[in-house]
Coordinates of all heavy atoms in Angstrom, one line a residue:
H37 N 6.0 -3.8 0.7 CA 4.5 -4.0 0.6 C 4.3 -5.2 -0.4 O 5.1 -5.5 -1.1 CB 4.0 -2.7 -0.1 CG 2.5 -2.8 -0.1 ND1 1.7 -3.1 -1.2 CD2 1.5 -2.4 0.8 CE1 0.5 -3.1 -0.9 NE2 0.3 -2.7 0.3
Y38 N 3.2 -5.7 -0.2 CA 2.8 -7.0 -1.1 C 2.8 -6.6 -2.5 O 2.7 -7.6 -3.4 CB 1.4 -7.4 -0.6 CG 1.2 -8.1 0.7 CD1 0.4 -7.4 1.7 CD2 2.0 -9.2 1.0 CE1 0.4 -8.0 2.9 CE2 1.9 -9.7 2.3 CZ 1.0 -9.1 3.3 OH 0.9 -9.7 4.6
Y39 N 2.8 -5.4 -3.0 CA 2.6 -5.1 -4.4 C 4.1 -5.1 -5.0 O 4.2 -4.7 -6.2 CB 2.0 -3.8 -4.7 CG 0.5 -3.7 -4.2 CD1 -0.1 -2.5 -4.1 CD2 -0.2 -4.8 -4.0 CE1 -1.5 -2.4 -3.7 CE2 -1.6 -4.7 -3.7 CZ -2.2 -3.5 -3.6 OH -3.5 -3.4 -3.2
G52 N 4.0 -6.4 4.4 CA 2.6 -6.2 5.0 C 1.8 -5.2 4.3 O 2.1 -4.7 3.3
D53 N 0.6 -5.0 5.0 CA -0.3 -4.0 4.3 C 0.1 -2.5 5.0 O 1.1 -2.5 5.8 CB -1.8 -4.2 4.6 CG -2.1 -4.4 6.1 OD1 -1.3 -4.0 6.9 OD2 -3.3 -4.6 6.4
S54 N -0.5 -1.6 4.7 CA 0.0 -0.2 5.1 C -0.1 -0.1 6.7 O 0.8 0.5 7.2 CB -1.0 0.9 4.5 OG -1.0 0.7 3.2
L55 N -1.1 -0.7 7.3 CA -1.1 -0.6 8.7 C 0.0 -1.5 9.3 O 0.7 -1.0 10.2 CB -2.5 -1.2 9.3 CG -2.7 -1.1 10.8 CD1 -2.5 0.4 11.3 CD2 -4.0 -1.7 11.3
G56 N 0.2 -2.7 8.9 CA 1.2 -3.5 9.4 C 2.7 -2.8 9.1 O 3.5 -2.8 10.1
L57 N 2.8 -2.2 8.0 CA 4.1 -1.6 7.7 C 4.3 -0.4 8.7 O 5.5 -0.1 9.1 CB 4.2 -1.1 6.2 CG 4.3 -2.4 5.3 CD1 4.0 -1.9 3.8 CD2 5.7 -2.9 5.3
V74 N 5.9 2.6 -1.9 CA 5.7 3.9 -2.7 C 6.0 5.0 -1.6 O 6.1 4.8 -0.5 CB 4.3 4.1 -3.2 CG1 4.3 3.2 -4.5 CG2 3.2 3.8 -2.4
F76 N 4.5 7.6 -0.3 CA 3.7 8.1 0.9 C 4.1 7.0 2.1 O 3.9 7.3 3.3 CB 2.3 8.1 0.7 CG 1.6 6.8 0.5 CD1 1.2 6.1 1.6 CD2 1.2 6.4 -0.8 CE1 0.4 4.9 1.4 CE2 0.5 5.2 -1.0 CZ 0.1 4.4 0.2
M77 N 4.3 5.8 1.7 CA 4.6 4.8 2.8 C 6.0 5.0 3.5 O 6.1 5.0 4.7 CB 4.6 3.3 2.1 CG 3.3 2.9 1.6 SD 3.5 1.3 0.8 CE 1.8 0.9 0.6
C99 N 2.2 7.8 -6.3 CA 0.9 7.0 -6.1 C -0.1 7.9 -6.7 O -0.3 9.1 -6.4 CB 0.5 6.8 -4.6 SG -1.1 6.4 -4.3
L101 N -3.4 7.9 -6.4 CA -4.3 8.3 -5.3 C -3.9 9.5 -4.5 O -4.6 10.5 -4.4 CB -4.6 7.1 -4.5 CG -5.6 7.2 -3.4 CD1 -6.9 7.7 -4.0 CD2 -5.9 5.8 -2.8
Y125 N -7.2 8.6 4.4 CA -6.6 7.3 4.1 C -5.1 7.7 4.0 O -4.6 8.6 3.5 CB -7.1 6.9 2.6 CG -6.8 5.5 2.2 CD1 -6.6 4.4 3.1 CD2 -6.7 5.3 0.8 CE1 -6.3 3.2 2.6 CE2 -6.4 4.0 0.3 CZ -6.2 3.0 1.3 OH -5.9 1.8 0.8
I126 N -4.3 6.6 4.5 CA -2.8 6.8 4.5 C -2.2 7.0 3.1 O -1.1 7.6 3.1 CB -2.3 5.6 5.1 CG1 -0.8 5.8 5.7 CG2 -2.3 4.4 4.3 CD1 -0.3 4.9 6.8
N127 N -2.9 6.7 2.0 CA -2.4 6.9 0.7 C -2.6 8.4 0.3 O -3.3 8.9 -0.5 CB -3.2 6.2 -0.3 CG -3.0 4.7 -0.1 OD1 -3.0 4.1 1.2 ND2 -3.0 3.8 -1.2
T141 N -6.2 3.3 7.3 CA -5.8 2.4 6.3 C -7.0 1.5 5.8 O -8.1 1.7 6.5 CB -4.6 1.5 6.7 OG1 -5.2 0.4 7.5 CG2 -3.5 2.2 7.4
S142 N -6.8 0.8 4.8 CA -7.9 -0.1 4.4 C -8.3 -1.1 5.4 O -9.4 -1.6 5.4 CB -7.5 -0.8 3.1 OG -6.4 -1.5 3.1
S143 N -7.4 -1.4 6.3 CA -7.7 -2.4 7.4 C -8.5 -1.8 8.6 O -9.0 -2.7 9.4 CB -6.5 -3.2 7.6 OG -5.6 -2.4 8.2
C185 N -7.6 5.4 -7.2 CA -6.4 4.7 -7.7 C -6.5 4.1 -9.1 O -7.5 3.4 -9.4 CB -6.1 3.6 -6.6 SG -5.1 2.2 -7.3
H188 N -6.9 0.1 -9.0 CA -8.2 -0.5 -8.6 C -9.3 0.0 -9.4 O -10.4 -0.6 -9.2 CB -8.3 -0.1 -7.1 CG -7.3 -1.0 -6.3 ND1 -6.0 -0.5 -6.0 CD2 -7.4 -2.2 -5.8 CE1 -5.4 -1.4 -5.3 NE2 -6.3 -2.4 -5.2
H211 N -10.1 -5.6 -2.9 CA -9.6 -4.6 -2.1 C -10.7 -3.4 -2.1 O -11.3 -3.1 -3.1 CB -8.3 -4.0 -2.6 CG -7.6 -3.1 -1.7 ND1 -7.9 -1.8 -1.6 CD2 -6.6 -3.4 -0.8 CE1 -7.1 -1.4 -0.6 NE2 -6.3 -2.3 -0.2
P212 N -10.9 -2.8 -1.0 CA -12.0 -1.8 -1.0 C -11.7 -0.5 -1.8 O -12.5 0.4 -1.9 CB -12.1 -1.4 0.6 CG -10.8 -1.9 1.2 CD -10.4 -3.0 0.4
E213 N -10.5 -0.4 -2.4 CA -10.2 0.7 -3.3 C -10.9 0.4 -4.7 O -10.9 1.4 -5.5 CB -8.7 0.8 -3.6 CG -7.9 1.6 -2.5 CD -6.5 1.6 -2.8 OE1 -6.1 1.7 -3.9 OE2 -5.7 1.7 -1.8
G226 N -11.3 -6.7 1.7 CA -10.3 -6.3 2.8 C -9.0 -5.8 2.3 O -8.8 -5.7 1.1
S227 N -8.2 -5.4 3.3 CA -6.9 -4.9 3.0 C -6.1 -6.1 2.3 O -6.5 -7.2 2.4 CB -6.2 -4.4 4.3 OG -5.7 -5.5 5.0
T228 N -4.8 -5.8 1.9 CA -4.0 -6.8 1.3 C -3.8 -7.9 2.3 O -3.8 -9.1 2.0 CB -2.8 -6.2 0.8 OG1 -2.1 -5.5 1.8 CG2 -2.9 -5.4 -0.5
T229 N -3.4 -7.6 3.5 CA -3.2 -8.6 4.6 C -4.5 -9.5 4.8 O -4.4 -10.6 5.0 CB -2.7 -8.0 5.8 OG1 -1.5 -7.4 5.6 CG2 -2.5 -9.0 7.0
T247 N -7.2 -7.0 -6.8 CA -6.3 -6.0 -6.3 C -5.0 -6.1 -7.1 O -4.9 -6.9 -8.0 CB -6.1 -6.1 -4.8 OG1 -5.4 -5.0 -4.3 CG2 -5.2 -7.3 -4.5
C278 N 0.7 -2.1 -10.3 CA 0.9 -0.6 -10.1 C 2.2 -0.1 -10.7 O 3.3 -0.8 -10.3 CB 0.9 -0.4 -8.5 SG 1.3 1.3 -8.1
M281 N 4.6 1.2 -7.8 CA 5.2 0.1 -7.0 C 6.3 -0.7 -7.9 O 7.3 -1.0 -7.3 CB 4.1 -0.9 -6.6 CG 3.2 -0.3 -5.6 SD 4.0 -0.6 -3.9 CE 2.6 0.0 -2.9
Ligands
13P1 P1 -3.2 -1.9 1.9 O1 -2.0 -2.8 1.7 O2 -3.1 -1.3 3.2 O3 -4.4 -2.8 1.8 O4 -3.1 -0.9 0.7 C1 -3.1 -1.1 -0.5 C2 -2.6 0.0 -1.4 O5 -3.2 0.4 -2.4 C3 -1.3 0.4 -1.1 O6 -0.9 1.4 -2.1

Side-chain angles (χ1 to χ4, degrees):
H37 189 265
Y38 291 119
Y39 297 165
D53 64 6
S54 305
L55 182 61
L57 289 165
V74 290
F76 75 79
M77 295 178 169
C99 168
L101 183 50
Y125 187 34
I126 198 161
N127 299 33
T141 73
S142 55
S143 60
C185 155
H188 289 88
H211 194 278
E213 283 179 29
S227 76
T228 49
T229 297
T247 190
C278 174
M281 287 277 185

